[in-house]
Amino acid sequence: MTRLTILEYPDPRLRTWAVPVGSVDAALRELIDDMLETMYAANGIGLAATQVDVHQRLLVADVSEGRNDPRVFINPEILGKDGTTTSQEGCLSVPGYYDEVERALSVRLRAIGRNGKPFEVELDGLLAICVQHEIDHLDGKLFVDYLSEMKRQRVRRKLEKDRRLRAEGGTPAPARAPAI
């Protein structure tokens, strides 16, 4: 397996609308494995293919305590939403920044699994929040888009400063974990 490079905001590739996956084959399953390895290594709980510069409608997630329940959603489609909740979100593409975002409390979802078979599922709690966050990525949207313009500018400046520090051999401020 290979660890993939996670694109960081404000990289314009994060704004690309992902296209549907045509078929589930060995190459796609290898990408899924690489995405899971990348997500776990980055201490994340979800990762969309767009975040690793693959613009296909694919996301992986694992919100389990033991990091042993990987979920795969190919061509995910939200069929319905219920309730609302506000929670603290972070993002592997916006490292070190967290803020409150309002999302649906539960979602009904249709997708294709790793095995190539379609399924429908009702998700709630953290997994529902995570999947909504990742589907936003597939639609070219980031969680910072839910924030005010002033907050987005602050995030952009912080990330640029952190990148300069890393380039100069310094260490940016530590991030809280986990991030979606």
Side-chain angles (χ1 to χ4, degrees), residues 71-124:
R71 305 285 187 101
V72 176
F73 302 90
I74 301 165
N75 296 337
E77 176 186 358
I78 294 177
L79 303 174
K81 298 179 178 184
D82 192 36
T84 60
T85 186
T86 300
S87 63
Q88 188 87 186
E89 285 189 26
C91 180
L92 296 175
S93 291
V94 188
Y97 187 80
Y98 297 79
D99 213 319
E100 297 286 321
V101 176
E102 185 176 291
R103 302 234 184 233
L105 185 59
S106 67
V107 294
R108 180 115 188 108
L109 186 76
R110 176 186 303 141
I112 298 170
R114 178 189 180 99
N115 60 6
K117 295 182 180 173
F119 66 93
E120 288 188 17
V121 64
E122 186 84 29
L123 304 174
D124 60 12

Side-chain angles (χ1 to χ4, degrees), residues 114-145:
R114 178 189 180 99
N115 60 6
K117 295 182 180 173
F119 66 93
E120 288 188 17
V121 64
E122 186 84 29
L123 304 174
D124 60 12
L126 184 57
L127 185 56
I129 292 166
C130 178
V131 167
Q132 291 171 81
H133 176 110
E134 301 309 333
I135 289 174
D136 275 354
H137 276 297
L138 300 177
D139 295 340
K141 186 171 185 176
L142 299 169
F143 96 101
V144 296
D145 296 341

Side-chain angles (χ1 to χ4, degrees), residues 1-58:
M1 287 189 276
T2 304
R3 285 192 191 163
L4 306 169
T5 300
I6 298 172
L7 302 177
E8 290 186 8
Y9 175 76
D11 191 308
R13 294 173 289 180
L14 289 167
R15 299 299 185 177
T16 304
W17 187 277
V19 299
V21 171
S23 66
V24 179
D25 56 16
L28 186 71
R29 283 189 286 277
E30 184 176 338
L31 173 61
I32 290 166
D33 292 340
D34 292 346
M35 287 176 60
L36 285 166
E37 180 176 338
T38 301
M39 179 188 73
Y40 289 132
N43 202 25
I45 61 171
L47 186 67
T50 300
Q51 291 176 273
V52 294
D53 203 21
V54 176
H55 304 287
Q56 295 182 28
R57 297 193 73 77
L58 164 65

